[in-house]
Structures are given as structure tokens and as C-alpha cells.
Amino acid sequence: MSEQLIDELRNADTLILAAPMYNFGIPATLKQWIDSVCRAGVSFKYTEQGPVGLLDIKRAFIITASGGTPVGSEMDFASRYLEHICKFIGIGDVFHIDASGSKGTPEQVIAQGKRQVDVLVSTLLTNAFTGEA
């Protein structure tokens, strides 16, 4: 299973991770996936300068939902951990989207999410046309 999951990553240029924040961290099933794709000599290697990711994926989008913990805060061990793992296995750029549902009505939460995606896509398109990373 590990080899299959890593092959999927090798064939991707973008990774999308959507995760709820449970007790400030990630669900156990997502941790199992991480443990399956983080393999020394396969998805990362250790060097004298520290670990180096081997998967060479262009970007990741981390979509985090929390019941009240502010995404990106010191109490958020989910999105920060997922970003660390992405960099660890060789993902270049990591972008965050806050999909928390306790900050308003469903309509407000959906509108906020759409605004975040619109800004992110606009930035990525602008950077693609200007040649920036």
C-alpha cells in the first residue's frame, strides 16, 4: 500500500489535503497515510544539512476545518504539521485554506472559503504569467 500511495504522489504535481482538526491535531487515518508516504530513501533522505524531500511536487493545498481553534494559531497543530510533512517529502509551495465552520452561518462560511480560493487562484495565475514562484 505504501508503494502505491507514493507512486500516486510521484505522478502528481499538486496535492490537496483536506482535514478536520481533532483536539488540535489531525485524524488518525491521515496520520496513517503520512506514515505510509514518509519513507527514508524513497520520499525523503537524510543529509548532513538535514532531511531533503525526494518527491518534487510543485504545490499543496491544505484545507483545514476546525470547530473553534483558529487555523494557523499556536494551538493549531494540524495545518502546521501538515505543512511540515509536505515540505519534508519535497513539496515546493504550500497554501492554506481555512474551512472552519463555527465562524458564522453555513452561507458565510462558504462565502469566506470561496473568497480564499479566489484570492489564491488569482495569485497563482498572476505568478504564472509573471514567472514568479
Side-chain angles (χ1 to χ4, degrees):
M1 180 59 89
S2 175
E3 205 52 52
Q4 178 183 345
L5 294 172
I6 292 171
D7 282 343
E8 288 175 1
L9 290 172
R10 284 186 185 124
N11 293 318
D13 64 358
T14 301
L15 173 66
I16 298 173
L17 292 172
M21 187 184 309
Y22 292 160
N23 300 317
F24 312 106
I26 61 170
T29 52
L30 181 54
K31 177 66 168 90
Q32 288 174 320
W33 178 85
I34 289 168
D35 290 343
S36 295
V37 301
C38 290
R39 288 187 30 215
V42 179
S43 59
F44 71 93
K45 67 179 178 181
Y46 289 110
T47 69
E48 290 183 14
Q49 291 76 33
V52 174
L54 300 175
L55 294 182
D56 196 32
I57 298 169
K58 290 181 184 178
R59 71 191 68 81
F61 296 95
I62 299 172
I63 304 159
T64 307
S66 111
T69 302
V71 173
S73 72
E74 288 188 21
M75 295 184 300
D76 168 12
F77 299 104
S79 66
R80 293 179 6 212
Y81 173 67
L82 292 173
E83 180 169 351
H84 177 81
I85 292 299
C86 287
K87 297 289 187 177
F88 184 74
I89 62 174
I91 296 175
D93 295 319
V94 179
F95 304 96
H96 293 273
I97 297 172
D98 181 351
S100 297
S102 64
K103 298 177 182 164
T105 66
E107 293 80 13
Q108 291 170 323
V109 172
I110 290 169
Q112 181 220 8
K114 286 181 178 180
R115 281 191 299 275
Q116 289 180 72
V117 170
D118 288 346
V119 167
L120 188 54
V121 168
S122 176
T123 301
L124 291 173
L125 288 174
T126 299
N127 290 350
F129 287 120
T130 61
E132 297 178 29

